[in-house]
Amino acid sequence: MKKQITLSIIAAMLLIAPSIAQKPNTLTSKEKKDGWVLLFNGKDFTGWRQVNGTAMPKNWVIEEEAMKVFTGEGKNPGSGANGDIIFSEKKFKNFEVSIDWKASKMANSGIFY
């Protein structure tokens, strides 16, 4: 009997947990009150631009609420001219960054601040 109750509680927790988890690219009320701001909204490139430009490069896309860059054939990674380097349009001081980052096997970059 105890085993059935325990299994029922675990099953209920597994069903409820995803619904109460914070969604990507969102802030809780407390985070907003504490002064956190989103750098990326998960939907579009609002607030971002190419280095030495005003728009986003063509080889950047948004998929699965994530920014992705493609530097395949015909691209010159690292030059900035082809759009592999982007900047936030806003400047920040005295900040703390929280980010999920994933790079491919041959990636040779990171986050510059």
Side-chain angles (χ1 to χ4, degrees):
M1 181 70 150
K2 285 183 182 180
K3 187 175 182 178
Q4 287 178 330
I5 293 173
T6 302
L7 290 175
S8 296
I9 291 171
I10 291 171
M13 288 171 54
L14 290 173
L15 291 172
I16 293 171
S19 65
I20 60 174
Q22 187 172 340
K23 296 187 186 319
N25 300 314
T26 61
L27 295 173
T28 65
S29 297
K30 181 176 181 347
E31 288 170 331
K32 289 177 186 175
K33 183 181 174 188
D34 291 343
W36 286 89
V37 295
L38 290 176
L39 295 179
F40 174 58
N41 64 19
K43 298 175 185 153
D44 58 42
F45 290 111
T46 299
W48 290 90
R49 64 173 175 80
Q50 179 177 2
V51 64
N52 299 323
T54 57
M56 281 297 292
K58 302 275 187 246
N59 60 327
W60 281 82
V61 298
I62 296 172
E63 289 179 356
E64 300 171 349
E65 296 183 351
M67 290 183 186
K68 296 182 181 181
V69 64
F70 296 92
T71 55
E73 186 177 332
K75 304 287 191 260
N76 185 9
S79 71
N82 290 315
D84 58 327
I85 300 173
I86 61 171
F87 283 83
S88 167
E89 293 176 341
K90 204 171 178 185
K91 292 186 179 191
F92 297 90
K93 294 184 205 176
N94 191 21
F95 61 88
E96 182 177 326
V97 174
S98 176
I99 188 169
D100 290 325
W101 176 261
K102 181 178 177 184
S104 64
K105 183 178 179 183
M106 298 301 290
N108 137 359
S109 189
I111 300 169
F112 304 93
Y113 61 93

